[in-house]
Every structure is written in C-alpha cells, then in structure tokens.
C-alpha cells in the first residue's frame, strides 16, 4: 500500500511530518492550504480512519500507525484550543519509502 507523509506547520511555527498508510490523505488535505485547527483535525480523522480501513480490507487488520498519528494530531491540536483563530498549514506531501 503506498504510504504518504504530509508535512504540517502548526500555529506555533513548529513543523512535523505526519504519516498516512494510504494516499487517501491527499483527498482530504491540499499542499499549500491552511486550515483552522478544528477543520484540520476533522479532515485528518476522516482521512486516517479511511486509510486504516483500506489497510484492514487489504491485510485483515486496522493500521495502528494511522491511529497513533491521529492520536498525536488530536493531542497537538489541544495545545491551541484557547486560540480560536489558530491555523495549520499543510506544507507538502512526500511519498514514503517502499
């Protein structure tokens, strides 16, 4: 299954690479786009759950790495709950190693 990393910049300027086990993340996020934190989290939830389901369909089990990534995104987003105008930028996509 082709994996994809999506590099994001959080409202505090910190950048990090996030993991998706499927290219489906690119159906929900766009490189160069900036999203309000709650919308970013919602899009990631939808995409990573969909990606994990694709793994289940192919291999018979859900992708724990996708769920771990989603947990990290949710946790990181809580840092900005008191800043209602906070936004996350999707800097770029990067294919995973084969």
């Amino acid at each position: 299954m082709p994996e994809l990393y999506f590099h994001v910049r959080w409202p505090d300027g910190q950048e990090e690479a996030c993991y998706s086990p499927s290219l489906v993340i690119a159906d929900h996020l766009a490189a160069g786009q900036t999203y309000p934190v709650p919308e970013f989290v919602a899009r990631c939830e939808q995409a990573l759950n969909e990606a994990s389901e694709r793994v289940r369909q192919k291999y018979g089990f859900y992708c724990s790495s996708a769920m771990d990534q989603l947990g990290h995104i949710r946790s990181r987003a809580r840092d900005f709950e008191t800043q209602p105008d906070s936004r996350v930028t999707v800097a770029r996509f990067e294919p995973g190693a084969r």
Side-chain angles (χ1 to χ4, degrees):
M1 195 159 242
E3 59 188 17
L4 191 64
Y5 288 89
F6 53 109
H7 294 257
V8 301
R9 186 170 33 266
W10 290 96
D12 62 3
Q14 186 176 11
E15 295 187 19
E16 69 179 293
C18 298
Y19 172 79
S20 173
S22 166
L23 301 178
V24 71
I25 193 75
D27 293 341
H28 297 274
L29 299 172
Q33 282 292 111
T34 300
Y35 302 93
V37 172
E39 180 183 345
F40 173 74
V41 172
R43 286 172 177 265
C44 288
E45 286 174 347
Q46 186 174 1
L48 291 172
N49 281 317
E50 194 175 317
S52 186
E53 175 60 25
R54 287 183 180 190
V55 170
R56 187 197 64 77
Q57 289 173 359
K58 185 168 184 175
Y59 298 108
F61 53 86
Y62 291 101
C63 180
S64 60
S65 295
M67 296 301 93
D68 289 347
Q69 181 64 70
L70 181 54
H72 175 75
I73 288 169
R74 287 175 176 150
S75 175
R76 189 74 171 96
R78 282 192 291 275
D79 294 343
F80 307 102
E81 285 179 338
T82 61
Q83 304 168 26
D85 295 331
S86 295
R87 299 176 73 80
V88 178
T89 300
V90 177
R92 69 183 190 283
F93 293 108
E94 177 184 4
R98 288 255 171 180

